[in-house]
Amino acid sequence: MKNRLKVERAEQNLSQNDLAERIGVSRQTINSIETGRYVPSTILALKFAQFFNKPVENLFTLEETD
Amino acid sequence: MKNRLKVERAEQNLSQNDLAERIGVSRQTINSIETGRYVPSTILALKFAQFFNKPVENLFTLEETD
DNA sequence: TGATATTGTAAAGCTAGCTTTACAATATGT
DNA sequence: ACATATTGTAAAGCTAGCTTTACAATATCA
């Protein structure tokens, strides 16, 4: 699964730490999701969507391997 | 987090087992999500959305406690 | 240059997601 | 009534998500 967190974050000029605090998770969680080490829970995905004001599908997209 | 899986399933007249096979998970996973025991991964949420042809936000919604 | 911010990783520890197997309770259909 | 389908749970086992702490590499900026 791919995600656009890094880009969305850049558009808002936020650091991983900023986003982590706004969403309520650790910075490592943000980093791990951005670098593809973790697939977030649906709760987290919905929070990102809410925060960036974009549909979940716009931030996260399935790949063949999923 | 609430979800509308049971309703969507009923609208399509599908059993938990049917949905499980279509999505590619075990029946217990479907049951556990429907009864609120598990929060699915974002990959699973996207698959449900794809299958029911509805946005993730339409199937899963955050609650205060999330 | 020197100090600070940002990002990438790693490890340990705990919890949660998912699987398989299994059984009971209820609903459906002949 | 009987057989079958559906749903709810449970337990064991494994993997993945998330936390905290910590350190190194790179970028930013006075």
Side-chain angles (χ1 to χ4, degrees):
Chain A
M1 194 191 62
K2 291 192 301 184
N3 75 75
R4 287 177 42 85
L5 289 191
K6 191 172 184 173
V7 174
E8 297 292 332
R9 206 164 46 71
E11 283 178 4
Q12 308 278 344
N13 198 31
L14 295 169
S15 69
Q16 290 180 345
N17 199 50
D18 291 335
L19 181 58
E21 287 177 349
R22 300 299 221 81
I23 298 291
V25 294
S26 72
R27 177 181 71 81
Q28 284 73 3
T29 292
I30 301 294
N31 184 279
S32 296
I33 294 169
E34 286 192 0
T35 56
R37 281 198 295 279
Y38 291 155
V39 170
S41 69
T42 298
I43 287 180
L44 247 184
L46 288 171
K47 287 182 179 175
F48 285 127
Q50 195 172 72
F51 180 77
F52 289 119
N53 200 32
K54 299 196 172 174
V56 170
E57 283 85 347
N58 206 300
L59 301 177
F60 299 92
T61 54
L62 288 175
E63 293 178 296
E64 322 283 341
T65 54
D66 297 326
Chain B
M1 194 189 64
K2 290 192 300 186
N3 75 76
R4 287 176 41 84
L5 290 191
K6 191 171 184 173
V7 174
E8 297 292 333
R9 207 164 46 70
E11 284 179 3
Q12 308 278 344
N13 197 32
L14 296 169
S15 68
Q16 291 180 346
N17 198 51
D18 292 335
L19 181 57
E21 287 178 350
R22 299 298 221 84
I23 297 292
V25 294
S26 71
R27 179 182 69 84
Q28 285 71 3
T29 292
I30 301 294
N31 183 279
S32 296
I33 294 169
E34 285 191 1
T35 56
R37 281 198 296 278
Y38 292 154
V39 170
S41 69
T42 298
I43 287 180
L44 248 185
L46 289 171
K47 286 182 178 175
F48 285 127
Q50 196 171 72
F51 181 77
F52 289 119
N53 200 32
K54 298 195 173 175
V56 171
E57 282 86 347
N58 206 301
L59 302 177
F60 299 93
T61 55
L62 288 175
E63 293 177 297
E64 322 281 342
T65 53
D66 297 327

